[in-house]
Amino acid sequence: EMQLVESGGGLVQAGGSLRLSCAASGFTFEDYAIGWFRQAPGKEREAVSCITTDGDTMYADSVKARFTISRDDAKNTVYLQMNSLKPEDTGIYYCAALRGEVVPHGPLPYSYEYDNWGQGIQVTVSS
């Protein structure tokens, strides 16, 4: 059974940092691109970042230069380092796995392209 489990969320003051982890099991991790999404209260889920099987990375404009995605295939884990956090970064963060072609440095894949999702983890940034 494919499983993704997020960790590392919490409450942080504006300007602070958090590192989210997405631990995968039940599938061949290195065959999948991994994405991060977030959903703020009352808003639609939005794509934040994606890392391809080759390690190419993509970011939403709102997080570029502040967030860094990385993967460790030996640990079946993807990380999202979030720096200079803003109150508008508040939301539930989800990781998701996509088996298929992802254009390096192209547009972020849509949510429907992903095959499996984690349960989500809360990130709250206070002003």
Side-chain angles (χ1 to χ4, degrees), residues 4-6 21-23 34-37 93-97 116-118 120:
L4 297 167
V5 179
E6 301 94 341
S21 298
C22 173
I34 304 294
W36 285 97
F37 288 75
Y93 282 68
Y94 302 87
C95 65
N116 194 268
W117 291 78

Side-chain angles (χ1 to χ4, degrees), residues 3-123:
Q3 191 171 20
L4 297 167
V5 179
E6 301 94 341
S7 62
L11 173 65
V12 64
Q13 287 189 331
S17 298
L18 284 173
R19 187 176 82 155
L20 303 183
S21 298
C22 173
S25 61
F27 61 99
T28 306
F29 183 73
E30 56 263 33
D31 289 345
Y32 286 74
I34 304 294
W36 285 97
F37 288 75
R38 67 186 181 190
Q39 187 165 19
K43 295 189 176 181
E44 293 188 356
R45 189 174 298 187
E46 63 172 344
V48 173
S49 183
C50 178
I51 186 165
T52 71
T53 55
D54 292 330
D56 296 306
T57 58
M58 289 156 276
Y59 300 93
D61 288 343
S62 59
V63 306
K64 276 180 184 175
R66 299 190 298 122
F67 290 12
T68 302
I69 190 171
S70 61
R71 65 188 295 157
D72 185 340
D73 287 353
K75 295 183 178 179
N76 286 4
T77 301
V78 165
Y79 304 97
L80 185 68
Q81 178 66 44
M82 305 186 295
N83 298 330
S84 302
L85 282 161
K86 304 175 181 180
E88 51 263 44
D89 294 318
T90 294
I92 300 175
Y93 282 68
Y94 302 87
C95 65
L98 184 161
R99 181 162 189 178
E101 287 294 320
V102 176
V103 177
H105 309 297
L108 286 164
Y110 293 103
S111 58
Y112 66 80
E113 297 182 71
Y114 288 83
D115 303 293
N116 194 268
W117 291 78
Q119 81 287 351
I121 193 162
Q122 179 70 44
V123 170

